Amino acid sequence: PHRCSSTSEVIGQHSRTMFFHIPLERDLHIHPRHCGPSLLNQLRSQLHSEVEGSCSGRFGYVVTVTSVDNIGLGKVQEGTGFVVYPIKYRAIVFRPFKGEVLDAVVTQVSKMGLFAEAGPLNIFVSRHLIPADMEFDPNSTPPAFVSEDQSVRIAKDDEVRLKIVGTRVDAQEIFSIGSIKEDYLGLIS
């Protein structure tokens, strides 16, 4: 599990940014065969592979580990023989907040709305949060939302600028709802 020395370092000082550079901790379980001259390299490699791309509901998605600050003394786990090392490290994490504006790629369009991705974050934009002059066109290939004058068309693989209007944090994932109904939001040409 990820731990942070100070919650205010993440939540209280976010001043409209989605990326944070924070200290975290993790216990790594190392197989006995790796306890040798390349142990430090194995620990670093395993840390990167286990945490990069993972999501902690509290801190967000871990983008990258920037430094390993401390590797504690390993303790042999009874029964398994694995050695558990406490690791303190710093990482860049991605945590979106309500009210933030970001660019995303549309992954699916249906009569209910559209789904988009911004990095690891999945965002749903309900048809009620799409401008009123845009209608779903089920006959187009691929399906799309099209403006009344046909000048704007949002379909799969298009890039949109949207505003996060809500997030729900799960233990291992962050779900977001977005809007393109305000000025300067929508299709990026």
Side-chain angles (χ1 to χ4, degrees), residues 80-110:
T80 66
F82 278 78
V83 183
V84 180
Y85 286 91
I87 309 282
K88 292 183 180 180
Y89 62 99
R90 292 186 67 78
I92 294 175
V93 296
F94 170 68
R95 173 78 159 87
F97 289 95
K98 181 179 177 179
E100 290 183 293
V101 175
L102 51 101
D103 295 348
V105 176
V106 176
T107 57
Q108 182 182 349
V109 177
S110 73

PDB file of all heavy atoms in Angstrom, residues 80-110:
ATOM      1  N   THR A  80       7.311 -18.377   3.933  1.00  0.00           N
ATOM      2  CA  THR A  80       7.501 -18.204   2.485  1.00  0.00           C
ATOM      3  C   THR A  80       8.966 -18.058   2.109  1.00  0.00           C
ATOM      4  O   THR A  80       9.349 -18.394   0.990  1.00  0.00           O
ATOM      5  CB  THR A  80       6.764 -16.958   1.966  1.00  0.00           C
ATOM      6  OG1 THR A  80       7.359 -15.792   2.529  1.00  0.00           O
ATOM      7  CG2 THR A  80       5.287 -17.006   2.291  1.00  0.00           C
ATOM      8  N   GLY A  81       9.771 -17.530   3.012  1.00  0.00           N
ATOM      9  CA  GLY A  81      11.171 -17.282   2.698  1.00  0.00           C
ATOM     10  C   GLY A  81      11.402 -15.966   1.978  1.00  0.00           C
ATOM     11  O   GLY A  81      12.537 -15.564   1.762  1.00  0.00           O
ATOM     12  N   PHE A  82      10.333 -15.287   1.596  1.00  0.00           N
ATOM     13  CA  PHE A  82      10.477 -13.991   0.930  1.00  0.00           C
ATOM     14  C   PHE A  82      11.045 -12.978   1.921  1.00  0.00           C
ATOM     15  O   PHE A  82      10.831 -13.073   3.119  1.00  0.00           O
ATOM     16  CB  PHE A  82       9.127 -13.487   0.415  1.00  0.00           C
ATOM     17  CG  PHE A  82       8.727 -14.072  -0.905  1.00  0.00           C
ATOM     18  CD1 PHE A  82       8.206 -15.356  -0.989  1.00  0.00           C
ATOM     19  CD2 PHE A  82       8.877 -13.339  -2.074  1.00  0.00           C
ATOM     20  CE1 PHE A  82       7.842 -15.905  -2.197  1.00  0.00           C
ATOM     21  CE2 PHE A  82       8.508 -13.879  -3.296  1.00  0.00           C
ATOM     22  CZ  PHE A  82       7.996 -15.166  -3.360  1.00  0.00           C
ATOM     23  N   VAL A  83      11.775 -12.017   1.378  1.00  0.00           N
ATOM     24  CA  VAL A  83      12.334 -10.956   2.206  1.00  0.00           C
ATOM     25  C   VAL A  83      11.527  -9.687   1.920  1.00  0.00           C
ATOM     26  O   VAL A  83      11.328  -9.309   0.772  1.00  0.00           O
ATOM     27  CB  VAL A  83      13.833 -10.728   1.895  1.00  0.00           C
ATOM     28  CG1 VAL A  83      14.414  -9.670   2.818  1.00  0.00           C
ATOM     29  CG2 VAL A  83      14.610 -12.033   2.016  1.00  0.00           C
ATOM     30  N   VAL A  84      11.037  -9.046   2.992  1.00  0.00           N
ATOM     31  CA  VAL A  84      10.219  -7.837   2.855  1.00  0.00           C
ATOM     32  C   VAL A  84      11.083  -6.615   3.162  1.00  0.00           C
ATOM     33  O   VAL A  84      11.642  -6.498   4.249  1.00  0.00           O
ATOM     34  CB  VAL A  84       9.000  -7.891   3.809  1.00  0.00           C
ATOM     35  CG1 VAL A  84       8.152  -6.633   3.652  1.00  0.00           C
ATOM     36  CG2 VAL A  84       8.165  -9.137   3.550  1.00  0.00           C
ATOM     37  N   TYR A  85      11.194  -5.727   2.163  1.00  0.00           N
ATOM     38  CA  TYR A  85      11.981  -4.502   2.300  1.00  0.00           C
ATOM     39  C   TYR A  85      11.053  -3.287   2.296  1.00  0.00           C
ATOM     40  O   TYR A  85      10.292  -3.097   1.343  1.00  0.00           O
ATOM     41  CB  TYR A  85      12.962  -4.337   1.137  1.00  0.00           C
ATOM     42  CG  TYR A  85      14.149  -5.268   1.202  1.00  0.00           C
ATOM     43  CD1 TYR A  85      14.101  -6.511   0.577  1.00  0.00           C
ATOM     44  CD2 TYR A  85      15.306  -4.902   1.875  1.00  0.00           C
ATOM     45  CE1 TYR A  85      15.179  -7.366   0.627  1.00  0.00           C
ATOM     46  CE2 TYR A  85      16.393  -5.756   1.934  1.00  0.00           C
ATOM     47  CZ  TYR A  85      16.321  -6.985   1.308  1.00  0.00           C
ATOM     48  OH  TYR A  85      17.396  -7.837   1.365  1.00  0.00           O
ATOM     49  N   PRO A  86      11.112  -2.456   3.344  1.00  0.00           N
ATOM     50  CA  PRO A  86      10.350  -1.192   3.292  1.00  0.00           C
ATOM     51  C   PRO A  86      11.122  -0.177   2.440  1.00  0.00           C
ATOM     52  O   PRO A  86      12.320   0.025   2.645  1.00  0.00           O
ATOM     53  CB  PRO A  86      10.281  -0.758   4.758  1.00  0.00           C
ATOM     54  CG  PRO A  86      11.470  -1.405   5.413  1.00  0.00           C
ATOM     55  CD  PRO A  86      11.763  -2.658   4.630  1.00  0.00           C
ATOM     56  N   ILE A  87      10.431   0.404   1.472  1.00  0.00           N
ATOM     57  CA  ILE A  87      11.066   1.346   0.547  1.00  0.00           C
ATOM     58  C   ILE A  87      10.386   2.704   0.679  1.00  0.00           C
ATOM     59  O   ILE A  87       9.159   2.799   0.653  1.00  0.00           O
ATOM     60  CB  ILE A  87      10.906   0.873  -0.918  1.00  0.00           C
ATOM     61  CG1 ILE A  87      11.340  -0.576  -1.093  1.00  0.00           C
ATOM     62  CG2 ILE A  87      11.625   1.802  -1.879  1.00  0.00           C
ATOM     63  CD1 ILE A  87      12.809  -0.810  -1.167  1.00  0.00           C
ATOM     64  N   LYS A  88      11.183   3.755   0.798  1.00  0.00           N
ATOM     65  CA  LYS A  88      10.667   5.130   0.741  1.00  0.00           C
ATOM     66  C   LYS A  88      11.138   5.718  -0.580  1.00  0.00           C
ATOM     67  O   LYS A  88      12.325   5.641  -0.913  1.00  0.00           O
ATOM     68  CB  LYS A  88      11.190   5.964   1.915  1.00  0.00           C
ATOM     69  CG  LYS A  88      10.631   5.524   3.254  1.00  0.00           C
ATOM     70  CD  LYS A  88      11.114   6.398   4.380  1.00  0.00           C
ATOM     71  CE  LYS A  88      10.516   5.915   5.693  1.00  0.00           C
ATOM     72  NZ  LYS A  88      10.936   6.728   6.829  1.00  0.00           N
ATOM     73  N   TYR A  89      10.182   6.290  -1.319  1.00  0.00           N
ATOM     74  CA  TYR A  89      10.521   6.820  -2.644  1.00  0.00           C
ATOM     75  C   TYR A  89       9.672   8.044  -2.938  1.00  0.00           C
ATOM     76  O   TYR A  89       8.732   8.353  -2.216  1.00  0.00           O
ATOM     77  CB  TYR A  89      10.307   5.738  -3.711  1.00  0.00           C
ATOM     78  CG  TYR A  89       8.890   5.248  -3.845  1.00  0.00           C
ATOM     79  CD1 TYR A  89       8.059   5.736  -4.847  1.00  0.00           C
ATOM     80  CD2 TYR A  89       8.367   4.294  -2.978  1.00  0.00           C
ATOM     81  CE1 TYR A  89       6.754   5.300  -4.974  1.00  0.00           C
ATOM     82  CE2 TYR A  89       7.061   3.849  -3.100  1.00  0.00           C
ATOM     83  CZ  TYR A  89       6.261   4.349  -4.104  1.00  0.00           C
ATOM     84  OH  TYR A  89       4.967   3.911  -4.225  1.00  0.00           O
ATOM     85  N   ARG A  90      10.029   8.747  -4.007  1.00  0.00           N
ATOM     86  CA  ARG A  90       9.250   9.902  -4.461  1.00  0.00           C
ATOM     87  C   ARG A  90       8.721   9.562  -5.849  1.00  0.00           C
ATOM     88  O   ARG A  90       9.405   8.928  -6.642  1.00  0.00           O
ATOM     89  CB  ARG A  90      10.108  11.160  -4.503  1.00  0.00           C
ATOM     90  CG  ARG A  90      10.518  11.623  -3.091  1.00  0.00           C
ATOM     91  CD  ARG A  90      11.248  12.939  -3.087  1.00  0.00           C
ATOM     92  NE  ARG A  90      10.427  14.067  -3.483  1.00  0.00           N
ATOM     93  CZ  ARG A  90       9.530  14.684  -2.712  1.00  0.00           C
ATOM     94  NH1 ARG A  90       9.324  14.272  -1.489  1.00  0.00           N
ATOM     95  NH2 ARG A  90       8.848  15.721  -3.152  1.00  0.00           N
ATOM     96  N   ALA A  91       7.488  10.009  -6.103  1.00  0.00           N
ATOM     97  CA  ALA A  91       6.861   9.705  -7.390  1.00  0.00           C
ATOM     98  C   ALA A  91       6.011  10.882  -7.853  1.00  0.00           C
ATOM     99  O   ALA A  91       5.555  11.692  -7.049  1.00  0.00           O
ATOM    100  CB  ALA A  91       5.997   8.457  -7.262  1.00  0.00           C
ATOM    101  N   ILE A  92       5.811  10.940  -9.160  1.00  0.00           N
ATOM    102  CA  ILE A  92       4.885  11.896  -9.735  1.00  0.00           C
ATOM    103  C   ILE A  92       3.566  11.152  -9.902  1.00  0.00           C
ATOM    104  O   ILE A  92       3.525  10.067 -10.496  1.00  0.00           O
ATOM    105  CB  ILE A  92       5.388  12.440 -11.081  1.00  0.00           C
ATOM    106  CG1 ILE A  92       6.663  13.260 -10.847  1.00  0.00           C
ATOM    107  CG2 ILE A  92       4.312  13.281 -11.766  1.00  0.00           C
ATOM    108  CD1 ILE A  92       7.331  13.750 -12.098  1.00  0.00           C
ATOM    109  N   VAL A  93       2.493  11.730  -9.338  1.00  0.00           N
ATOM    110  CA  VAL A  93       1.176  11.113  -9.429  1.00  0.00           C
ATOM    111  C   VAL A  93       0.205  12.047 -10.147  1.00  0.00           C
ATOM    112  O   VAL A  93       0.372  13.265 -10.130  1.00  0.00           O
ATOM    113  CB  VAL A  93       0.613  10.720  -8.038  1.00  0.00           C
ATOM    114  CG1 VAL A  93       1.476   9.658  -7.384  1.00  0.00           C
ATOM    115  CG2 VAL A  93       0.482  11.918  -7.127  1.00  0.00           C
ATOM    116  N   PHE A  94      -0.789  11.449 -10.783  1.00  0.00           N
ATOM    117  CA  PHE A  94      -1.818  12.164 -11.541  1.00  0.00           C
ATOM    118  C   PHE A  94      -3.140  11.991 -10.808  1.00  0.00           C
ATOM    119  O   PHE A  94      -3.632  10.878 -10.667  1.00  0.00           O
ATOM    120  CB  PHE A  94      -1.897  11.563 -12.948  1.00  0.00           C
ATOM    121  CG  PHE A  94      -3.062  12.023 -13.776  1.00  0.00           C
ATOM    122  CD1 PHE A  94      -3.147  13.332 -14.213  1.00  0.00           C
ATOM    123  CD2 PHE A  94      -4.056  11.136 -14.153  1.00  0.00           C
ATOM    124  CE1 PHE A  94      -4.221  13.752 -14.999  1.00  0.00           C
ATOM    125  CE2 PHE A  94      -5.127  11.544 -14.944  1.00  0.00           C
ATOM    126  CZ  PHE A  94      -5.203  12.850 -15.368  1.00  0.00           C
ATOM    127  N   ARG A  95      -3.684  13.101 -10.286  1.00  0.00           N
ATOM    128  CA  ARG A  95      -4.935  13.054  -9.508  1.00  0.00           C
ATOM    129  C   ARG A  95      -5.819  14.210  -9.959  1.00  0.00           C
ATOM    130  O   ARG A  95      -5.567  15.366  -9.617  1.00  0.00           O
ATOM    131  CB  ARG A  95      -4.614  13.159  -8.025  1.00  0.00           C
ATOM    132  CG  ARG A  95      -5.808  13.294  -7.106  1.00  0.00           C
ATOM    133  CD  ARG A  95      -6.478  11.944  -6.904  1.00  0.00           C
ATOM    134  NE  ARG A  95      -7.282  11.915  -5.712  1.00  0.00           N
ATOM    135  CZ  ARG A  95      -8.549  12.301  -5.649  1.00  0.00           C
ATOM    136  NH1 ARG A  95      -9.139  12.789  -6.722  1.00  0.00           N
ATOM    137  NH2 ARG A  95      -9.227  12.196  -4.531  1.00  0.00           N
ATOM    138  N   PRO A  96      -6.861  13.935 -10.765  1.00  0.00           N
ATOM    139  CA  PRO A  96      -7.739  15.013 -11.225  1.00  0.00           C
ATOM    140  C   PRO A  96      -8.702  15.472 -10.143  1.00  0.00           C
ATOM    141  O   PRO A  96      -9.094  14.684  -9.275  1.00  0.00           O
ATOM    142  CB  PRO A  96      -8.504  14.363 -12.379  1.00  0.00           C
ATOM    143  CG  PRO A  96      -8.527  12.918 -12.021  1.00  0.00           C
ATOM    144  CD  PRO A  96      -7.245  12.639 -11.294  1.00  0.00           C
ATOM    145  N   PHE A  97      -9.090  16.739 -10.188  1.00  0.00           N
ATOM    146  CA  PHE A  97     -10.038  17.312  -9.242  1.00  0.00           C
ATOM    147  C   PHE A  97     -11.178  17.974  -9.990  1.00  0.00           C
ATOM    148  O   PHE A  97     -11.021  18.414 -11.129  1.00  0.00           O
ATOM    149  CB  PHE A  97      -9.346  18.350  -8.342  1.00  0.00           C
ATOM    150  CG  PHE A  97      -8.407  17.748  -7.352  1.00  0.00           C
ATOM    151  CD1 PHE A  97      -7.055  17.647  -7.640  1.00  0.00           C
ATOM    152  CD2 PHE A  97      -8.858  17.267  -6.135  1.00  0.00           C
ATOM    153  CE1 PHE A  97      -6.179  17.084  -6.736  1.00  0.00           C
ATOM    154  CE2 PHE A  97      -7.987  16.701  -5.221  1.00  0.00           C
ATOM    155  CZ  PHE A  97      -6.650  16.610  -5.513  1.00  0.00           C
ATOM    156  N   LYS A  98     -12.311  18.094  -9.337  1.00  0.00           N
ATOM    157  CA  LYS A  98     -13.481  18.755  -9.894  1.00  0.00           C
ATOM    158  C   LYS A  98     -13.108  20.183 -10.300  1.00  0.00           C
ATOM    159  O   LYS A  98     -12.414  20.878  -9.569  1.00  0.00           O
ATOM    160  CB  LYS A  98     -14.591  18.769  -8.837  1.00  0.00           C
ATOM    161  CG  LYS A  98     -15.874  19.398  -9.293  1.00  0.00           C
ATOM    162  CD  LYS A  98     -16.908  19.334  -8.190  1.00  0.00           C
ATOM    163  CE  LYS A  98     -18.180  20.035  -8.606  1.00  0.00           C
ATOM    164  NZ  LYS A  98     -19.199  19.977  -7.570  1.00  0.00           N
ATOM    165  N   GLY A  99     -13.556  20.598 -11.470  1.00  0.00           N
ATOM    166  CA  GLY A  99     -13.304  21.954 -11.947  1.00  0.00           C
ATOM    167  C   GLY A  99     -12.096  22.075 -12.855  1.00  0.00           C
ATOM    168  O   GLY A  99     -11.916  23.117 -13.484  1.00  0.00           O
ATOM    169  N   GLU A 100     -11.289  21.041 -12.958  1.00  0.00           N
ATOM    170  CA  GLU A 100     -10.110  21.131 -13.818  1.00  0.00           C
ATOM    171  C   GLU A 100     -10.467  20.876 -15.276  1.00  0.00           C
ATOM    172  O   GLU A 100     -11.373  20.100 -15.575  1.00  0.00           O
ATOM    173  CB  GLU A 100      -9.039  20.143 -13.355  1.00  0.00           C
ATOM    174  CG  GLU A 100      -8.443  20.577 -12.029  1.00  0.00           C
ATOM    175  CD  GLU A 100      -7.328  19.683 -11.565  1.00  0.00           C
ATOM    176  OE1 GLU A 100      -7.591  18.529 -11.256  1.00  0.00           O
ATOM    177  OE2 GLU A 100      -6.192  20.178 -11.516  1.00  0.00           O
ATOM    178  N   VAL A 101      -9.766  21.555 -16.169  1.00  0.00           N
ATOM    179  CA  VAL A 101      -9.982  21.417 -17.604  1.00  0.00           C
ATOM    180  C   VAL A 101      -8.808  20.648 -18.175  1.00  0.00           C
ATOM    181  O   VAL A 101      -7.650  20.929 -17.854  1.00  0.00           O
ATOM    182  CB  VAL A 101     -10.094  22.808 -18.278  1.00  0.00           C
ATOM    183  CG1 VAL A 101     -10.186  22.675 -19.780  1.00  0.00           C
ATOM    184  CG2 VAL A 101     -11.294  23.565 -17.720  1.00  0.00           C
ATOM    185  N   LEU A 102      -9.114  19.645 -19.015  1.00  0.00           N
ATOM    186  CA  LEU A 102      -8.041  18.862 -19.624  1.00  0.00           C
ATOM    187  C   LEU A 102      -8.447  18.390 -21.008  1.00  0.00           C
ATOM    188  O   LEU A 102      -9.623  18.413 -21.366  1.00  0.00           O
ATOM    189  CB  LEU A 102      -7.656  17.685 -18.730  1.00  0.00           C
ATOM    190  CG  LEU A 102      -8.747  16.760 -18.231  1.00  0.00           C
ATOM    191  CD1 LEU A 102      -8.774  15.504 -19.062  1.00  0.00           C
ATOM    192  CD2 LEU A 102      -8.443  16.405 -16.804  1.00  0.00           C
ATOM    193  N   ASP A 103      -7.457  17.985 -21.783  1.00  0.00           N
ATOM    194  CA  ASP A 103      -7.690  17.463 -23.124  1.00  0.00           C
ATOM    195  C   ASP A 103      -7.747  15.945 -23.047  1.00  0.00           C
ATOM    196  O   ASP A 103      -6.961  15.323 -22.326  1.00  0.00           O
ATOM    197  CB  ASP A 103      -6.574  17.885 -24.070  1.00  0.00           C
ATOM    198  CG  ASP A 103      -6.535  19.390 -24.289  1.00  0.00           C
ATOM    199  OD1 ASP A 103      -7.502  20.067 -23.891  1.00  0.00           O
ATOM    200  OD2 ASP A 103      -5.539  19.883 -24.842  1.00  0.00           O
ATOM    201  N   ALA A 104      -8.675  15.350 -23.801  1.00  0.00           N
ATOM    202  CA  ALA A 104      -8.853  13.906 -23.783  1.00  0.00           C
ATOM    203  C   ALA A 104      -9.188  13.418 -25.186  1.00  0.00           C
ATOM    204  O   ALA A 104      -9.603  14.192 -26.046  1.00  0.00           O
ATOM    205  CB  ALA A 104      -9.974  13.533 -22.813  1.00  0.00           C
ATOM    206  N   VAL A 105      -9.004  12.118 -25.401  1.00  0.00           N
ATOM    207  CA  VAL A 105      -9.305  11.495 -26.687  1.00  0.00           C
ATOM    208  C   VAL A 105     -10.591  10.686 -26.539  1.00  0.00           C
ATOM    209  O   VAL A 105     -10.719   9.870 -25.627  1.00  0.00           O
ATOM    210  CB  VAL A 105      -8.142  10.589 -27.145  1.00  0.00           C
ATOM    211  CG1 VAL A 105      -8.498   9.862 -28.434  1.00  0.00           C
ATOM    212  CG2 VAL A 105      -6.876  11.410 -27.324  1.00  0.00           C
ATOM    213  N   VAL A 106     -11.536  10.903 -27.452  1.00  0.00           N
ATOM    214  CA  VAL A 106     -12.814  10.193 -27.420  1.00  0.00           C
ATOM    215  C   VAL A 106     -12.577   8.726 -27.771  1.00  0.00           C
ATOM    216  O   VAL A 106     -11.930   8.416 -28.777  1.00  0.00           O
ATOM    217  CB  VAL A 106     -13.819  10.841 -28.403  1.00  0.00           C
ATOM    218  CG1 VAL A 106     -15.118  10.049 -28.450  1.00  0.00           C
ATOM    219  CG2 VAL A 106     -14.071  12.281 -28.027  1.00  0.00           C
ATOM    220  N   THR A 107     -13.106   7.824 -26.941  1.00  0.00           N
ATOM    221  CA  THR A 107     -12.930   6.389 -27.179  1.00  0.00           C
ATOM    222  C   THR A 107     -14.212   5.710 -27.629  1.00  0.00           C
ATOM    223  O   THR A 107     -14.170   4.664 -28.258  1.00  0.00           O
ATOM    224  CB  THR A 107     -12.413   5.681 -25.910  1.00  0.00           C
ATOM    225  OG1 THR A 107     -13.326   5.930 -24.841  1.00  0.00           O
ATOM    226  CG2 THR A 107     -11.026   6.167 -25.544  1.00  0.00           C
ATOM    227  N   GLN A 108     -15.370   6.305 -27.295  1.00  0.00           N
ATOM    228  CA  GLN A 108     -16.647   5.695 -27.666  1.00  0.00           C
ATOM    229  C   GLN A 108     -17.726   6.765 -27.675  1.00  0.00           C
ATOM    230  O   GLN A 108     -17.736   7.656 -26.830  1.00  0.00           O
ATOM    231  CB  GLN A 108     -16.996   4.608 -26.653  1.00  0.00           C
ATOM    232  CG  GLN A 108     -18.270   3.861 -26.930  1.00  0.00           C
ATOM    233  CD  GLN A 108     -18.590   2.833 -25.851  1.00  0.00           C
ATOM    234  OE1 GLN A 108     -17.761   2.535 -24.997  1.00  0.00           O
ATOM    235  NE2 GLN A 108     -19.792   2.307 -25.885  1.00  0.00           N
ATOM    236  N   VAL A 109     -18.646   6.655 -28.633  1.00  0.00           N
ATOM    237  CA  VAL A 109     -19.767   7.588 -28.727  1.00  0.00           C
ATOM    238  C   VAL A 109     -21.055   6.772 -28.803  1.00  0.00           C
ATOM    239  O   VAL A 109     -21.144   5.821 -29.586  1.00  0.00           O
ATOM    240  CB  VAL A 109     -19.647   8.497 -29.985  1.00  0.00           C
ATOM    241  CG1 VAL A 109     -20.848   9.407 -30.114  1.00  0.00           C
ATOM    242  CG2 VAL A 109     -18.367   9.317 -29.924  1.00  0.00           C
ATOM    243  N   SER A 110     -22.040   7.137 -27.981  1.00  0.00           N
ATOM    244  CA  SER A 110     -23.349   6.480 -28.019  1.00  0.00           C
ATOM    245  C   SER A 110     -24.426   7.526 -27.768  1.00  0.00           C
ATOM    246  O   SER A 110     -24.118   8.681 -27.461  1.00  0.00           O
ATOM    247  CB  SER A 110     -23.441   5.377 -26.961  1.00  0.00           C
ATOM    248  OG  SER A 110     -23.551   5.946 -25.667  1.00  0.00           O
TER     249      SER A 110
END
